Amino acid sequence: QVQLVESGGGLVQPGGSLRLACVASGIRINMYTMGWYRQAPGKQRELVADITSGSIINSADSVKGRFTISRDNAKNTVYLQMNNLKPEDTAVYLCNSRFGVINYWGKGTPVTVSS
């Protein structure tokens, strides 16, 4: 059974930082494109950043220069370092792994940016 388990979310003040982690089990992520998505209340799910098996990175314009995605295949884990957080970054952050038509999702970790 494939599981993606996110951690690291929480409440942070504007300008603060968080580091999210997504640990995969049941698959070896080295062949997968791994991504972070987010969904705010009343809004559609959107891509934050993803990283291919060859470590090519794609990021949303809204997070460029603030968020960094990375992967550690040996630990079967993908990370999202989030700096200079803004209130508009408030959302549930979900981990995704995909390989061709195969697509897995985690349940998400909530991030709230508020003073």
Side-chain angles (χ1 to χ4, degrees):
Q1 182 180 358
V2 177
Q3 282 191 314
L4 302 178
V5 180
E6 303 96 335
S7 63
L11 173 64
V12 63
Q13 292 186 341
S17 297
L18 285 173
R19 189 191 194 205
L20 307 183
C22 169
V23 180
S25 60
I27 59 170
R28 296 301 307 172
I29 70 167
N30 57 305
M31 295 298 293
Y32 285 75
T33 292
M34 301 298 295
W36 287 97
Y37 289 71
R38 66 187 181 187
Q39 188 161 17
K43 293 188 176 181
Q44 287 191 332
R45 187 173 296 183
E46 63 175 356
L47 174 69
V48 177
D50 62 20
I51 180 168
T52 69
S53 58
S55 294
I56 296 172
I57 291 171
N58 176 42
S59 301
D61 287 343
S62 60
V63 306
K64 284 180 179 176
R66 300 190 298 124
F67 292 9
T68 302
I69 189 170
S70 61
R71 62 193 298 156
D72 185 336
N73 291 338
K75 294 183 178 180
N76 231 28
T77 301
V78 63
Y79 303 96
L80 185 67
Q81 177 67 44
M82 306 188 294
N83 298 328
N84 190 21
L85 281 157
K86 304 176 181 180
E88 52 264 42
D89 295 318
T90 295
V92 174
Y93 284 70
L94 303 107
C95 180
N96 172 265
S97 64
R98 68 179 188 272
F99 180 74
V101 298
I102 300 172
N103 211 358
Y104 300 111
W105 290 94
K107 293 182 179 180
T109 184
V111 171
T112 302
V113 185
S114 175
S115 55

